[in-house]
């Protein structure tokens, strides 16, 4: 009898009766968790995007998802940046822990491209970086978190843009090839709802939430005077701080959506796709609290300093002007603010020139510049966006340029031929 009891105990321990590994889910069709975490920007002003993604890694790691099932894409120019007084340290809120610790550097610098993202997501080795990809199968659960700047139907990378058409085509292709059982996407970007609105099928076991609806900005937060930049984004810190405090074992995707929707009062958090998936527990996609570490998140601070992502540069300079301790320091930042405003005016006038050159009509100019975009001619829009970025202003490096590209979508949808739009860009940006 004693030997039988010992055998049963050993059997229970070997099967993980006190918590199966988070990437191995229970049931006869048990699968694994695969995660792709992407920060699509660079430079110190965009610190928050990489901080968000590093925090997302810690969430998954702390809940038992192994590193060989987590793929991280980020430029990696923040931790050891000359502006960082504490090298190797990245925080996602003031007084928060170092979220950079042990983050895999799978794809960095020039490897962070939309082309590589699409390959990695679909299990194709891109020939650069670590070579890790989402090698998921029909019983597996895929979690994708993308953080960056956006515009109507696109999200930006340091070089290049990912369109809603490309993303949704990749998702449906993975579905048809049975590369997942269920997929969840969390997207932090301006106009991020446009990546899925009326595009993501509701019957392929894919669920997505976004920081904003198709026509509004997302918001940055947690300005740190010591670092001179914003540490997080409202939607992102809200969902991650929710996991840090509530765990994943009892809360569903829908529970979290409602919490984040309520706490993100700066923009309209949205959900798309197969909404019945929102009844699934968070642990299905983020790992089990049974395997989480004992470390506790520091208390969250109420967000009072949120600023539209497109105005982050203005926000940073305004803070620095206000906090300046000498006349010359203040003058330096005031001059930088003037230069930023002049650049914005140049970008706006350039876009107006493109629209007028292509349409040759003042009424069309007024309509195109004053109407929020819901692109329908994606081929024309994507081609115009690429040409504008190549010839005029790099949209992945000049955030305000993303605030005017809606006009290209409206111009394409106004009946102006694609070749006329491209020709107008060439004439206005020689």
């Amino acid at each position: 009898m004693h030997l039988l009891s010992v055998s049963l105990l050993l059997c229970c321990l070997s099967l993980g009766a006190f918590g199966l590994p988070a990437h191995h889910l229970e049931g006869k069709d048990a699968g694994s968790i695969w995660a792709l975490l992407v920060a699509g920007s660079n430079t110190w002003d965009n610190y928050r995007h990489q901080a968000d993604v590093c925090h997302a890694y810690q969430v998954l790691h702390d809940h038992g998802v192994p590193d060989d099932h987590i793929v991280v894409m980020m430029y990696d120019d923040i931790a050891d940046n000359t502006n960082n007084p504490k090298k190797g340290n990245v925080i996602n809120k003031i007084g928060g822990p170092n979220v950079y610790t042990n983050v895999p550097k799978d794809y960095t610098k020039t490897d962070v491209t939309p082309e590589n993202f699409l390959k990695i997501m679909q299990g194709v080795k891109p020939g650069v970086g670590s070579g890790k990809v989402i090698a998921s199968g029909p019983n597996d659960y895929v979690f994708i978190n993308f953080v960056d700047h956006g515009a109507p139907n696109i999200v930006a990378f340091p070089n290049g843009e990912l369109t809603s058409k490309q993303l949704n085509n990749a998702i449906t292709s993975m579905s048809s090839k049975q590369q997942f059982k269920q997929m969840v996407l969390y997207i932090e970007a301006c106009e991020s709802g446009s990546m899925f609105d009326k595009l993501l099928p509701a019957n392929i076991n894919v669920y997505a939430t976004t920081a904003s609806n198709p026509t509004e900005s997302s918001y940055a937060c947690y300005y740190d005077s010591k670092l001179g930049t914003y540490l997080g984004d409202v939607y992102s810190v809200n969902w991650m701080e929710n996991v840090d405090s509530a765990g994943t074992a009892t809360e569903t995707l829908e529970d979290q959506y409602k919490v984040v929707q309520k706490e993100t009062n700066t923009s309209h958090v949205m959900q798309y796709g197969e909404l019945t998936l929102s009844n699934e527990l968070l642990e299905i996609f983020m790992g089990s609290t049974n395997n989480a570490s004992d470390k506790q998140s520091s208390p969250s601070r109420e967000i009072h300093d949120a600023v539209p992502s497109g105005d982050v540069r203005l926000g940073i300079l305004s803070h620095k002007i206000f906090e300046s301790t000498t006349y010359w320091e203040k003058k330096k930042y005031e001059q930088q603010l003037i230069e930023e405003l002049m650049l914005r005016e140049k970008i706006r006038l350039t876009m107006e020139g493109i629209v007028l050159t292509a349409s040759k009509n003042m009424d069309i100019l007024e309509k195109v510049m004053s109407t929020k975009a819901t692109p329908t001619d994606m081929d024309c829009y994507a081609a115009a966006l690429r040409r504008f970025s190549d010839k005029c202003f790099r949209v992945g490096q000049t955030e305000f340029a993303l605030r005017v590209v809606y006009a290209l979508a409206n111009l394409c949808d106004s009946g102006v031929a694609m070749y006329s739009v491209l020709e107008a860009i060439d004439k206005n940006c020689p």
Side-chain angles (χ1 to χ4, degrees):
M1 187 70 174
H2 174 71
L3 289 174
L4 178 60
S5 298
V6 172
S7 297
L8 288 172
L9 177 59
L10 290 173
C11 180
C12 287
L13 287 171
S14 65
L15 291 175
F18 300 100
L20 287 170
H23 65 290
H24 181 75
L25 305 171
E26 295 185 43
K28 65 178 181 178
D29 296 325
S32 298
I33 297 172
W34 291 86
L36 177 53
L37 312 177
V38 185
S41 69
N42 60 351
T43 76
W44 190 254
D45 279 0
N46 292 317
Y47 179 110
R48 64 196 185 280
H49 295 148
Q50 293 182 58
D52 289 340
V53 161
C54 288
H55 190 175
Y57 164 78
Q58 302 299 339
V59 167
L60 299 178
H61 177 79
D62 288 349
H63 289 84
V65 183
D67 283 1
D68 62 359
H69 278 223
I70 304 174
V71 183
V72 179
M73 300 181 74
M74 65 178 185
Y75 205 84
D76 197 26
D77 62 340
I78 299 303
D80 294 320
N81 195 286
T82 55
N83 291 302
N84 195 343
K86 193 173 182 181
K87 298 296 185 285
N89 193 76
V90 176
I91 56 177
N92 201 208
K93 59 184 173 183
I94 296 174
N98 182 10
V99 293
Y100 188 71
T101 304
N102 297 324
V103 174
K105 315 302 187 303
D106 293 307
Y107 301 93
T108 63
K109 301 296 188 290
T110 57
D111 294 342
V112 183
T113 67
E115 295 80 12
N116 287 339
F117 167 79
L118 290 170
K119 289 178 181 178
I120 294 161
M121 174 183 171
Q122 297 175 86
V124 179
K125 292 183 181 295
V128 296
S130 70
K132 280 164 57 180
V133 298
I134 303 302
S136 53
N139 296 322
D140 294 335
Y141 300 82
V142 176
F143 176 69
I144 297 175
N145 180 212
F146 186 95
V147 184
D148 190 27
H149 297 294
N153 293 75
I154 67 161
V155 288
F157 281 76
N159 288 292
E161 304 79 38
L162 177 71
T163 70
S164 57
K165 182 177 180 180
Q166 290 173 311
L167 178 59
N168 285 278
N169 283 347
I171 292 170
T172 54
S173 175
M174 291 178 70
S175 174
S176 66
K177 294 176 182 177
Q178 297 186 317
Q179 289 183 274
F180 58 83
K181 184 174 183 179
Q182 295 176 343
M183 176 188 287
V184 166
L185 301 98
Y186 281 19
I187 309 294
E188 170 81 61
C190 293
E191 290 105 349
S192 47
S194 65
M195 296 300 289
F196 302 114
D197 189 48
K198 300 180 180 65
L199 296 170
L200 181 62
N203 60 352
I204 58 171
N205 288 322
V206 179
Y207 169 82
T209 76
T210 62
S212 62
N213 68 26
T215 60
E216 67 184 351
S217 176
S218 60
Y219 281 69
C221 63
Y222 293 162
Y223 181 79
D224 188 323
S225 295
K226 293 180 180 178
L227 297 180
T229 192
Y230 290 87
L231 306 181
D233 293 282
V234 178
Y235 161 86
S236 290
V237 299
N238 279 338
W239 80 256
M240 288 185 285
E241 290 176 5
N242 171 252
V243 175
D244 288 339
S245 62
T248 62
T250 60
E251 193 168 78
T252 66
L253 291 162
E254 180 68 17
D255 293 333
Q256 185 178 81
Y257 170 73
K258 289 179 178 177
V259 170
V260 175
Q261 185 183 47
K262 180 180 179 181
E263 294 183 352
T264 307
N265 56 13
T266 49
S267 60
H268 296 85
V269 176
M270 305 296 290
Q271 55 183 182
Y272 300 96
E274 194 151 340
L275 301 187
T276 56
L277 289 193
S278 68
N279 295 320
E280 297 282 10
L281 292 171
L282 292 176
E283 67 179 0
I284 298 297
F285 302 95
M286 301 179 189
S288 170
T289 51
N290 290 334
N291 293 286
S293 69
D294 292 330
K295 77 179 181 183
Q296 298 293 317
S297 172
S298 57
S300 301
R301 49 178 265 166
E302 192 172 348
I303 297 172
H304 294 295
D305 62 350
V307 60
S309 290
D311 291 335
V312 161
R313 180 64 179 160
L314 298 182
I316 289 173
L317 291 173
S318 296
H319 276 287
K320 288 183 175 182
I321 290 169
F322 179 77
E323 295 163 358
S324 294
T325 57
T326 69
Y327 171 84
W328 293 113
E329 183 183 29
K330 184 178 181 181
K331 282 296 181 183
K332 179 182 72 172
Y333 293 129
E334 286 178 342
Q335 180 59 36
Q336 290 180 16
L337 180 60
I338 291 171
E339 291 171 359
E340 174 66 18
L341 293 172
M342 290 175 63
L343 174 62
R344 289 174 171 231
E345 182 66 5
K346 180 180 180 181
I347 292 170
R348 186 184 65 79
L349 291 174
T350 299
M351 183 58 74
E352 288 184 356
I354 290 169
V355 174
L356 189 57
T357 300
S359 66
K360 299 178 176 62
N361 187 305
M362 289 298 295
D363 290 335
I364 292 178
L365 170 64
E366 182 178 354
K367 183 177 181 181
V368 163
M369 297 302 298
S370 62
T371 305
K372 292 182 178 180
T374 54
T376 56
D377 189 345
M378 280 302 299
D379 291 337
C380 174
Y381 174 42
L385 177 66
R386 182 97 299 275
R387 186 70 65 88
F388 179 78
S389 187
D390 288 342
K391 299 276 290 186
C392 305
F393 305 94
R394 302 293 298 182
V395 298
Q397 302 294 326
T398 313
E399 204 286 330
F400 188 73
L402 284 167
R403 304 281 63 80
V404 301
V405 297
Y406 71 92
L408 296 176
N410 287 337
L411 187 59
C412 286
D413 290 342
S414 71
V416 177
M418 183 193 300
Y419 74 86
S420 296
V421 177
L422 298 180
E423 187 178 70
I425 294 172
D426 292 339
K427 288 182 177 178
N428 282 272
C429 301

